[in-house]
Amino acid sequence: MLYGALEAGGTKMVVALGDENGKILEQKSIPTVTPAETMPAVFDFFRGKGIKALGIACFGPIDLNRQSSTYGFITTTPKIPWRNYDIVGDARKNLGVPVGFDTDVNGSLLGEAAWGAAKGLTDAVYFTIGTGVGGGVMTNGKMLHGMMHPELGHLLLRIRPDDPFAGLCPNHGTCFEGMACGPAIEARWGAKAVDLKDRPEVWDLEAWYIAQAVWDCMVTLSPQRFILGGGVMHQAQLFPLIRKYVLEFMNGYLDTAEVHDLDHYIVPASLHDDQGIMGCIRLARDFAD
Ligand code: ADP
Ligand code: ZN
């Protein structure tokens, strides 16, 4: 069985064909410009390939409420040409197959839940720390949508007293994304994140913010594991620092098997940066009739 996968990102669309085991058979990247320029190339990739369904994991905010007249739309994105674009409707019309739809981060979590670090779990949180910061949540075996979908990148965090940075979020300044995304690291320290790898103070501060978000989600969502992905998390030195600060914030409050084994509780994404596109394959499989 063949499934179509579309990981719709703010800078590029990744399109792929996959099988029911999440194996990627063909993959291509198309720049995200405007719906009129970008989407015909996306649909052309899938045409005539006999896909049974399409899974779309999309940058947001998006409308996931099946009762809503704008279900399947990208909604209030700052990327103006994409605002109020009916990506699901357009895909159905062009390809004539069932379309599964979720956030980009829920897509990555779905990939990890099906074939990676969250396999066998019912409750997990996935953070991506890259150009932006986002979080996906699985609760009782299902991706959390609720009112719309979690927006964990906009958690409001305490500011470390020695950090004068004003934050980059246009709405909140110093929220999680505003303080910890890749561009925030670059703006604060004046160099590309990857070129700061030998500056311990950079990763100490970064880990302090990430650990706050982990702690806040531990005590609200009670996940069985945290998976951290995205470009910034390629700095493996962050993991021990995040675990150290999570223990500090916990301050002895919790006593579960998980908190005594944080090496297995706070882990890197495990699918070699294919978690997003593999999640789309899984999403398609779940929506195929
Ligand atoms: P996107 O979020 O746009 O999908 P990424 O997840 O690759 O893409 O995130 C890009 C961000 O991650 C950039 O801000 C970049 O500086 C940062 N980044 C990429 N690779 C690394 C690395 N090896 N170490 C630290 N930061 C990185
Ligand atoms: Zn914000």
Side-chain angles (χ1 to χ4, degrees):
M1 202 62 71
L2 274 184
Y3 298 98
L6 166 58
E7 196 181 6
T11 52
K12 63 180 194 292
M13 301 273 169
V14 180
V15 290
L17 281 186
D19 72 10
E20 61 278 9
N21 301 315
K23 184 163 178 231
I24 298 164
L25 306 167
E26 191 185 337
Q27 178 169 330
K28 180 176 162 179
S29 181
I30 296 164
T32 302
V33 191
T34 63
E37 283 172 85
T38 307
M39 294 311 289
V42 167
F43 298 138
D44 275 351
F45 173 83
F46 294 114
R47 254 188 217 107
K49 291 192 168 140
I51 60 171
K52 183 128 193 333
L54 175 69
I56 306 177
C58 189
F59 69 88
I62 59 177
D63 189 346
L64 291 173
N65 176 2
R66 305 286 194 101
Q67 275 27 285
S68 161
S69 58
T70 53
Y71 169 77
F73 282 50
I74 299 170
T75 58
T76 52
T77 172
K79 296 175 219 313
I80 303 295
W82 295 87
R83 208 171 260 190
N84 302 316
Y85 171 57
D86 180 9
I87 189 166
V88 169
D90 213 11
R92 279 202 195 113
K93 200 167 67 199
N94 276 277
L95 300 173
V97 294
V99 176
F101 189 49
D102 213 321
T103 62
D104 43 9
V105 271
N106 273 348
S108 294
L109 178 51
L110 195 56
E112 293 285 351
W115 296 295
K119 201 165 171 207
L121 305 181
T122 55
D123 294 77
V125 170
Y126 181 97
F127 281 131
T128 183
I129 311 201
T131 306
V133 173
V137 178
M138 178 169 71
T139 179
N140 284 325
K142 290 209 155 109
M143 296 302 141
L144 180 62
H145 293 167
M147 176 184 74
M148 48 181 287
H149 46 77
E151 280 284 356
L152 299 180
H154 299 275
L155 285 167
L156 299 181
L157 305 178
R158 276 193 216 157
I159 308 306
R160 203 158 83 170
D162 63 349
D163 183 9
F165 187 58
L168 285 188
C169 178
N171 298 81
H172 318 111
T174 59
C175 65
F176 183 18
E177 175 171 289
M179 294 309 264
C181 66
I185 298 174
E186 294 174 21
R188 185 192 274 111
W189 301 99
K192 288 215 144 305
V194 69
D195 296 331
L196 294 163
K197 66 178 186 329
D198 298 324
R199 297 267 303 272
E201 68 276 26
V202 171
W203 307 105
D204 186 77
L205 185 63
E206 179 72 8
W208 194 80
Y209 287 115
I210 296 169
Q212 272 195 70
V214 168
W215 169 251
D216 287 352
C217 290
M218 264 173 95
V219 287
T220 48
L221 299 162
S222 192
Q224 297 157 307
R225 186 162 293 151
F226 282 87
I227 300 158
L228 309 185
V232 171
M233 293 313 304
H234 288 146
Q235 290 300 318
Q237 57 183 313
L238 280 168
F239 283 90
L241 294 167
I242 293 167
R243 294 178 191 122
K244 178 185 88 167
Y245 282 126
V246 165
L247 282 178
E248 265 188 45
F249 297 138
M250 195 180 312
N251 198 20
Y253 188 70
L254 300 180
D255 184 17
T256 64
E258 288 83 354
V259 307
H260 293 295
D261 186 15
L262 289 187
D263 289 355
H264 294 104
Y265 187 64
I266 300 168
V267 302
S270 67
L271 298 171
H272 313 287
D273 286 336
D274 281 337
Q275 56 274 16
I277 200 74
M278 289 173 75
C280 296
I281 297 171
R282 181 60 196 224
L283 200 53
R285 200 180 112 179
D286 289 347
F287 273 73
D289 44 7

